[in-house]
Amino acid sequence: MVAGDDAYRVQRVIGRGGSAVVELALDPAGRAVALKRVVLPGSAAELETARTRLRREAELLRALAHPSIVPLRDVIDHDGDVVLVMPYYERGNLADLLRAHGPMPAADAVDLAIVLLDALACAHERGVLHRDVTPANVLYAAAGRPALADLGIATSPTFTLGLTQEGLV
């Protein structure tokens, strides 16, 4: 459960990154959502930096309303834990689809590139650099439309000042 016993019911883990985990959950109405939270062993300072990054990711998502960027539905700040609530993309990510089905036809790759470049252009117009465009960060909804996910290491002079620096991994 997240944010009280009646809010989100976690079903299973659907992804892991360097400092976060993404879980499939059901919202109070029974709809599938994805919950992203910090799970990082480390000092209190390291955990707080990771939580600050997650809060900044939420701010970036709020600023980037675009049909090909995964939208933010809610942010839960509960008992020091920060959880981003986003739609669940049923078809998974591009990396998994390529592993399962092999390379996509050239025409499909061009169509995908156009959709993703439009999303990146929207981000760049707002001063946001994604910095992690990978097949694992391209998600597909049931209807098949791709969306760019994971702005965890994105940079923006407005939102991430002091969090991301040149030369740091």
Side-chain angles (χ1 to χ4, degrees):
M1 296 293 169
V2 176
D5 291 335
D6 61 343
Y8 296 95
R9 294 184 312 275
V10 174
Q11 305 298 298
R12 62 184 164 86
V13 172
I14 55 176
R16 290 187 186 277
S19 65
V21 64
V22 179
E23 299 162 316
L24 171 63
L26 299 177
D27 70 9
R31 295 176 299 236
V33 295
L35 305 179
K36 183 175 182 178
R37 73 174 75 231
V38 172
V39 283
L40 177 72
S43 69
E46 290 169 325
L47 286 171
E48 191 50 41
T49 297
R51 288 182 184 117
T52 299
R53 283 184 184 280
L54 205 55
R55 287 184 191 98
R56 295 299 186 267
E57 182 175 356
E59 291 174 16
L60 289 170
L61 287 171
R62 282 190 189 110
L64 297 176
H66 188 278
S68 296
I69 296 175
V70 174
L72 180 68
R73 288 197 177 160
D74 196 8
V75 178
I76 301 164
D77 208 331
H78 181 71
D79 291 338
D81 201 12
V82 178
V83 181
L84 305 187
V85 181
M86 296 168 282
Y88 172 61
Y89 285 73
E90 300 88 350
R91 288 190 51 212
N93 66 49
L94 178 59
D96 291 339
L97 292 173
L98 292 173
R99 266 192 295 280
H101 304 289
M104 65 175 51
D108 291 348
V110 168
D111 291 343
L112 174 61
I114 290 169
V115 169
L116 295 178
L117 288 171
D118 189 52
L120 290 170
C122 170
H124 291 183
E125 287 168 2
R126 289 162 181 81
V128 176
L129 300 178
H130 188 284
R131 298 181 9 152
D132 196 18
V133 179
T134 65
N137 289 335
V138 177
L139 305 180
Y140 286 88
R145 182 163 179 91
L148 192 55
D150 195 357
L151 280 96
I153 65 168
T155 62
S156 165
T158 306
F159 298 104
T160 60
L161 192 60
L163 279 177
T164 306
Q165 301 171 18
E166 198 171 306
L168 293 180
V169 177

